[in-house]
Amino acid sequence: MSSPLRPARVGAFGAAAILTVILAGCATAAPTPAPSASPQSDPVFATEEEALAAAEEAYAEYLALGAEVASDGGENAERMAAVTTGAALDQERQTFAGMRERDQTGTGQQEFDSFTLQNHDADGSVTAYLCLDISGTDLLDSNLQPVSPPDRIERYPLEVQFETAPDGKLVVSQSRSWSGENFC
């Protein structure tokens, strides 16, 4: 059985702090990818496979750096500018500022799977669906005691948007809960 989700922005380590129930069940089918736009000029990615591989690599770097910043208690969150831009960077700044204010640190590494290309455009923008798994993470208070709720949801269906940075690498520009049926 599946249920609709409420849209929400999810930061690299912010999902570990989500306290409200976003979904109640799981469906087995991922959303159907939208067709790619027709390129007007030479596309950044020659194939869908190339766009998908670049997006997966960018998301892995995003999660790894987010885990590093979280383990530092949110200090030097500006490091996230290397893997995010726009709304995603703003969300990361807010998430890590909250961790600093609450004197929390993060442990563990988030993982992802079910990475599916939704679309990619000639300008190098990519949108993908994925399942974020936070089961290997925790938030700790200043006494190193866990503060994540024991009954938290540990897998989230996300829609993630990427943009091509000036250096040609993809960076996360937006991450939000998928508002359709849960495909995780």
Side-chain angles (χ1 to χ4, degrees), residues 26-93:
C26 290
T28 57
T32 305
S36 298
S38 298
Q40 300 291 331
S41 60
D42 290 338
V44 172
F45 302 109
T47 66
E48 288 186 356
E49 292 78 17
E50 190 178 300
L52 180 63
E56 284 185 277
E57 180 179 337
Y59 200 73
E61 290 175 11
Y62 166 72
L63 291 183
L65 186 56
E68 184 179 310
V69 175
S71 71
D72 292 340
E75 293 298 324
N76 301 311
E78 286 305 312
R79 292 177 278 175
M80 294 303 293
V83 294
T84 60
T85 191
L89 179 56
D90 293 342
Q91 183 62 39
E92 294 303 326
R93 287 176 177 145

Side-chain angles (χ1 to χ4, degrees), residues 118-138:
Q118 180 189 30
N119 65 35
H120 71 99
D121 294 325
D123 66 358
S125 62
V126 175
T127 303
Y129 301 113
L130 61 94
C131 294
L132 180 65
D133 184 339
I134 65 167
S135 63
T137 66
D138 210 340

Side-chain angles (χ1 to χ4, degrees), residues 82-166:
V83 294
T84 60
T85 191
L89 179 56
D90 293 342
Q91 183 62 39
E92 294 303 326
R93 287 176 177 145
Q94 290 174 10
T95 296
F96 291 123
M99 286 181 72
R100 286 190 309 274
E101 289 170 12
R102 292 184 299 276
D103 199 20
Q104 295 175 331
T105 58
T107 64
Q109 177 68 46
Q110 295 179 1
E111 310 233 347
F112 66 94
D113 58 43
S114 304
F115 206 97
T116 305
L117 183 70
Q118 180 189 30
N119 65 35
H120 71 99
D121 294 325
D123 66 358
S125 62
V126 175
T127 303
Y129 301 113
L130 61 94
C131 294
L132 180 65
D133 184 339
I134 65 167
S135 63
T137 66
D138 210 340
L139 284 174
L140 306 176
D141 65 18
S142 60
N143 296 316
L144 302 179
Q145 296 300 307
V147 295
S148 299
D151 60 346
R152 70 181 179 172
I153 305 272
E154 295 187 329
R155 287 181 55 81
Y156 296 90
L158 300 179
E159 180 180 40
V160 181
Q161 295 175 338
F162 301 85
E163 292 178 14
T164 301

